[in-house]
Amino acid sequence: MAIISNCTASIIKDAAFALKQGHLVAFPTETVYGLGADATNEKAVARIYEVKGRPKDHPLIVHISSIELLDKWATEIPDYAIKLARNFWPGPMTLILPRTGLARDFITGGQDNVGIRVPANNFALALLKTFESEGGYGIAAPSANKFGALSPTNAQAVQDELENDLLPSDLILDGGCCEVGIESTIIDCTSDKPEILRPGAVTLNMVENIFNIKRSEESYMSAHMRNSRKVLAPGMLISHYAPKARVYLGQTPIIGQGMIAIDHIKTPLGVVRLAAPKNDLEFAKTLYEALRSGDRQGLKEICVIPPNKGTLKEAIFDRLNKSASSL
Ligand code: TXA
Ligand code: MG
């Protein structure tokens, strides 16, 4: 497996060909790096699960290059889902929809619905378009990390996570650092109203705005605030997105601990400052790499003070809450 830094059109073509041959290709998206396989190739998809050490019933997101390809994978698409797609694709949003026959059990974990996303990253879109022009239908790609670990936001982090498990014929495309830094918003579109299953950079507020509704309307509430859900999104497992170090939320760090907080919060003496982002956007973008650097430095404990304002506040808190959980 090699990291390929200079992603020219001919490299992208080779990568699309590798996918068609059943190899794995890790690639950048605007959220995090994905570990891609041909979404119609059962053997290739099985390797994703092996490499990640991921349970088989955890469904994968299928990436496509445009909304035009949506009905290959999804059926009974409600109007509101089309509206979401038109407003937020390409972008950090995954829609869960009833599946067509193309979305087999090995993609959906046996569920009758499928997760679809059009990423907003030029390398990802070029790879998808080339792959589709060679007869492919979509690229299945979970985050390119070991199950339960932090998602990688640069190519080196993919290599550090997966180098022992990828084969020489697999590829890692280096497209620099991911712009958003945390995973896509997942929206369940299998009932009469959209429900946010995982918060991300497409926020509840943004969703409400396109439908001209108010925050108080219960039906649009984030599902993670509710008790019951029909659709399973295993990324909602309590312990997830976790570094090796223990993560403490909102505590003032003490000597020897790592610290991540907005830049105006001072670093106490003897504390290792891992990141000092200026705002919530920069916080999301640098968070996972900062936690990884804590692990590289051998820190046992990292205190993170999440931002208390900004559009990404909720998504950052959601991930950190899972990082901090010891379950
Ligand atoms: O930003 C992202 O979404 C990244 C990039 C690579 O696109 N991908 C990503 O994939 O985060 P993954 O597999 O690490 O997390 C996807 C989450 C999982 O928790 C999975 O359970 C949920 O999406 N999911 C996928 N398909 C689903 C489905 N059909 N029904 C319910 N949840 C689904
Ligand atoms: Mg993941």
Side-chain angles (χ1 to χ4, degrees):
M1 158 266 321
I3 294 193
I4 300 175
S5 309
N6 184 15
C7 292
T8 57
S10 99
I11 294 283
I12 296 281
K13 207 163 186 317
D14 292 348
F17 187 69
L19 286 167
K20 288 292 290 170
Q21 300 290 101
H23 304 299
L24 301 186
V25 175
F27 62 96
T29 80
E30 80 282 35
T31 57
V32 300
Y33 273 69
L35 178 63
D38 178 345
T40 62
N41 181 333
E42 183 165 10
K43 275 199 185 138
V45 171
R47 282 205 52 230
I48 289 184
Y49 285 87
E50 265 168 45
V51 166
K52 277 184 66 86
R54 174 167 165 143
K56 280 268 181 322
D57 60 348
H58 285 220
L60 298 176
I61 297 172
V62 177
H63 297 69
I64 54 177
S65 73
S66 108
I67 189 175
E68 311 305 325
L69 294 165
L70 184 56
D71 59 7
K72 293 258 183 282
W73 290 96
T75 178
E76 299 163 55
I77 304 169
D79 290 347
Y80 71 75
I82 300 287
K83 189 160 182 170
L84 285 166
R86 288 206 199 291
N87 276 272
F88 300 121
W89 278 349
M93 177 186 74
T94 297
L95 299 181
I96 308 295
L97 288 157
R99 64 173 169 176
T100 62
L102 199 56
R104 310 255 303 281
D105 282 352
F106 59 81
I107 288 292
T108 72
Q111 299 194 54
D112 287 335
N113 46 64
V114 60
I116 307 283
R117 175 162 116 80
V118 179
N121 172 288
N122 288 339
F123 294 108
L125 286 171
L127 180 65
L128 284 162
K129 285 197 181 110
T130 312
F131 179 70
E132 288 158 7
S133 72
E134 287 176 15
Y137 288 100
I139 301 177
S143 51
N145 51 279
K146 285 287 189 184
F147 180 65
L150 293 168
S151 298
T153 52
N154 56 62
Q156 186 59 50
V158 177
Q159 185 169 40
D160 294 347
E161 279 281 324
L162 303 178
E163 63 188 336
N164 297 330
D165 306 279
L166 291 174
L167 298 175
S169 47
D170 300 324
L171 298 172
I172 301 175
L173 300 183
D174 184 352
C177 291
C178 300
E179 213 28 60
V180 176
I182 51 176
E183 306 79 1
S184 62
T185 306
I186 300 182
I187 307 184
D188 176 13
C189 300
T190 61
S191 58
D192 58 342
K193 298 266 163 56
E195 263 189 278
I196 295 180
L197 300 183
R198 178 175 74 180
V202 169
T203 63
L204 179 60
N205 213 347
M206 289 159 71
V207 170
E208 287 172 340
N209 280 343
I210 66 163
F211 295 110
N212 286 324
I213 55 156
K214 287 195 269 354
R215 183 166 273 270
S216 57
E217 281 187 39
E218 200 266 347
S219 51
Y220 287 83
M221 244 174 62
S222 300
H224 68 283
M225 297 177 200
R226 295 177 162 200
N227 297 328
S228 66
R229 263 194 353 273
K230 299 169 298 315
V231 171
L232 288 172
M236 298 172 72
L237 285 174
I238 298 192
S239 180
H240 223 82
Y241 312 108
K244 293 190 183 67
R246 205 180 164 91
V247 174
Y248 295 98
L249 265 192
Q251 289 183 22
T252 306
I254 54 169
I255 293 179
Q257 291 182 328
M259 175 185 184
I260 300 171
I262 292 282
D263 61 352
H264 62 74
I265 302 177
K266 296 233 159 27
T267 314
L269 212 64
V271 166
V272 183
R273 187 65 174 250
L274 298 169
K278 286 189 189 50
N279 52 39
D280 62 308
L281 298 179
E282 211 178 289
F283 203 108
K285 186 170 175 174
T286 53
L287 176 63
Y288 290 160
E289 189 50 39
L291 290 168
R292 278 179 192 283
S293 89
D295 280 348
R296 283 197 297 271
Q297 293 174 55
L299 298 178
K300 296 278 171 287
E301 294 164 326
I302 301 174
C303 292
V304 189
I305 305 171
N308 56 13
K309 56 182 183 208
T311 51
L312 287 183
K313 177 180 90 166
E314 194 198 2
I316 291 168
F317 187 78
D318 171 78
R319 304 309 190 277
L320 283 171
N321 211 13
K322 288 172 180 133
S323 304
S325 170
S326 57
L327 291 178

